[in-house]
Amino acid sequence: MPAASASPFRSALHAARDAAGSQDYPQGTLYVVATPIGNLADITLRALHVLERVDAIACEDTRHTQALLRAYGIDRKAGAQLLALHQHNEAEAAQGVIERLARGERIAYVSDAGTPGVSDPGARLAAAVRAAGHRVLPLPGASSVTTLISAAGLAAAEGGAAQSAFVFAGFLPSKAAERDSAIQQLAAEPRAVVLLEAPHRIEALARALAVLGQRPVSIGRELTKQFEEIDTVPAEGLAGWLATKEQRTRGEFALVLHPAAQDAAGPAGEGERVLRLLLSELPLKSAVRLAAEITGAPRNALYEQALQLRKADDGA
């Protein structure tokens, strides 16, 4: 990181003061600040101004945040002005933040990268601050979730309308059995699903996702950084994509599981049709088991659907 005096962001800091300086920044407020996920130029002017003027900055890693601030030409001393608040101490450290807010201080919170509270610390802090009666003011910015969604090119829904709905699942369980169960549930999800994964677990996740066959998966590796890669492959080909180049298993990953392609009588409609026929003759569990064997649909999803059908029939 460059020294503060030699920061290439000096002009940006001046622009931040000009653009955001006249806005209102209430005291006794927690400012939740998004920071870049890779490219330092993705910081917002309002974030720069707030990080420069708040009384203290609570952060996931004080050393990382100190280096980030210096890159922007913001020189803050560690200790009283940088407060450690991470996943291991968030509940306790939140009380210290609340005490400072009660004195009328302005406190910012940043995670190591991206938007706090999205698979990063910050959610417990925000909840505790709001419960204590203080204001939480978000400063939006970079997020790997929306960054990849914007480039994934999700398939158009029937009729040509854009398929914009998605579910954020984040990190799946690390244990194989729990991860496989989670993927079985995601297989029945009609919307796009956003996943995050660390480099040391990406190959295991790729092997587990192979059960989804031809369902498209968009991969975002090292988003916004120098060696960024964005590609879309069938789920069953993800492990092969990773194996093509040695460096592809390095870096941070975001993935988008595209909506499952369905025709007019697609898997969901076929599953319901089969379930209705079987439920008219068999107990619920037997009907679900046979429907799963006939259609190939996940048993958990069929069981939930069977319960809904039974409930609807009982209410009719």
Side-chain angles (χ1 to χ4, degrees):
M1 294 288 187
S5 60
S7 170
F9 291 95
R10 289 194 310 274
S11 59
L13 200 56
H14 291 307
R17 295 167 187 155
D18 292 339
S22 61
Q23 298 177 12
D24 183 36
Y25 298 92
Q27 294 179 298
T29 296
L30 173 69
Y31 296 83
V32 181
V33 183
T35 55
I37 58 176
N39 193 316
L40 291 179
D42 289 339
I43 192 76
T44 69
L45 294 179
R46 193 155 66 115
L48 285 175
H49 185 68
V50 164
L51 291 174
E52 186 180 34
R53 74 165 297 174
V54 290
D55 296 293
I57 300 173
C59 40
E60 186 175 2
D61 186 323
T62 57
R63 294 168 298 179
H64 178 91
T65 299
Q66 183 74 283
L68 183 71
L69 295 173
R70 285 176 176 166
Y72 294 126
I74 301 172
D75 190 13
R76 303 189 69 111
K77 296 178 181 178
Q81 295 191 53
L82 292 182
L83 316 173
L85 192 150
H86 44 74
Q87 63 175 336
H88 303 296
N89 76 341
E90 187 169 358
E92 305 82 44
Q95 295 307 310
V97 171
I98 290 169
E99 291 174 6
R100 299 184 71 142
L101 294 174
R103 298 198 294 267
E105 294 187 21
R106 300 177 181 91
I107 309 293
Y109 182 72
V110 298
S111 57
D112 285 349
T115 302
V118 182
S119 283
D120 276 344
R124 290 180 179 177
L125 171 63
V129 167
R130 291 180 64 86
H134 301 291
R135 184 176 177 183
V136 178
L137 199 158
L139 273 66
S143 167
S144 61
V145 175
T146 51
T147 298
L148 184 57
I149 282 285
S150 70
L154 296 181
E158 185 178 354
Q163 175 57 277
S164 58
F166 68 90
V167 175
F168 176 61
F171 291 92
L172 296 186
S174 58
K175 294 183 178 179
E178 295 176 5
R179 182 174 56 239
D180 291 344
S181 177
I183 290 172
Q184 283 291 320
Q185 295 180 34
L186 294 179
E189 172 55 59
R191 296 164 291 184
V193 180
V194 180
L195 304 172
L196 301 178
E197 194 52 276
H200 67 281
R201 296 190 346 184
I202 188 62
E203 291 175 293
L205 177 63
R207 291 192 295 270
L209 288 174
V211 299
L212 301 179
Q214 289 292 309
R215 190 162 176 178
V217 176
S218 288
I219 313 107
R221 187 184 77 85
E222 292 289 84
L223 289 171
T224 79
K225 300 181 179 127
Q226 182 179 358
F227 299 108
E228 171 187 84
E229 282 190 278
I230 300 175
D231 206 348
T232 300
V233 300
E236 62 187 8
L238 179 54
W241 184 89
L242 290 170
T244 302
K245 298 179 182 178
E246 183 180 354
Q247 69 268 24
R248 280 185 169 168
T249 57
R250 302 169 186 165
E252 299 299 321
F253 291 85
L255 303 97
V256 174
L257 177 62
H258 287 234
Q262 295 184 10
D263 55 28
E270 178 68 8
E272 181 175 340
R273 186 184 72 82
V274 172
L275 265 180
R276 286 188 181 279
L277 290 171
L278 294 174
L279 285 170
S280 65
E281 302 291 338
L282 297 171
L284 187 143
K285 288 186 178 180
S286 298
V288 168
R289 178 177 56 80
L290 287 174
E293 293 177 3
I294 293 169
T295 66
R299 188 175 296 189
N300 290 343
L302 288 171
Y303 185 80
E304 291 298 323
Q305 191 173 24
L307 291 176
Q308 294 175 11
L309 290 173
R310 277 279 172 88
K311 185 176 180 180
D313 291 341
D314 292 344

